[in-house]
Amino acid sequence: AACDESNVSTADVADAAKERVRQSLGLADEAALFTNVFTGEPLDGEPVLCGTVEGRRSDGTAVPPRRFIAALDPARWVKFEPSGELDAASPGDKFVEWHTACAGEESVR
């Protein structure tokens, strides 16, 4: 996985995102979570990674998709939101950062 000067890799961000979703939804360790992490456009000159987390609970039901923006220097979450209806959000709403920083990637299914 690619690293920047802060030594935060895409794998580190993917693992942290999966753990955040696992904890917030109270998922068992057997839940299958998948991430897609990619480099976004800088926000206010700051490098960011964008991504999504989705998957299946251990009983087979779907885990609602989440999408995120993570800053790298210092490493922190900028946005971590449920997805779905947000894909149709207008550029003027509070989710504008996703459309600005993460433009060009596929929408979360």
Side-chain angles (χ1 to χ4, degrees):
C3 294
D4 72 339
E5 299 80 31
S6 65
N7 293 322
V8 176
S9 72
T10 55
D12 293 337
V13 172
D15 289 345
K18 283 193 267 189
E19 186 57 30
R20 181 171 172 150
V21 170
R22 190 176 305 283
Q23 288 180 359
S24 70
L25 297 177
L27 299 174
D29 290 339
E30 296 79 28
L33 296 176
F34 306 96
T35 58
N36 174 31
V37 180
F38 57 94
T39 303
E41 294 297 321
L43 288 175
D44 298 326
E46 185 176 1
V48 297
L49 292 176
C50 300
T52 59
V53 179
E54 59 186 311
R56 297 258 171 221
R57 290 178 170 85
S58 56
D59 66 2
T61 58
V63 172
R66 301 283 192 268
R67 63 185 181 188
F68 60 84
I69 302 171
L72 300 177
D73 190 20
R76 68 187 187 287
W77 299 118
V78 175
K79 286 276 189 190
F80 209 108
E81 304 284 345
S83 192
E85 71 277 359
L86 304 183
D87 293 328
S90 69
D93 70 13
K94 67 180 182 174
F95 303 109
V96 67
E97 290 89 350
W98 176 265
H99 300 289
T100 301
C102 306
E105 277 296 310
E106 279 184 27
S107 295
V108 178
R109 293 184 295 284

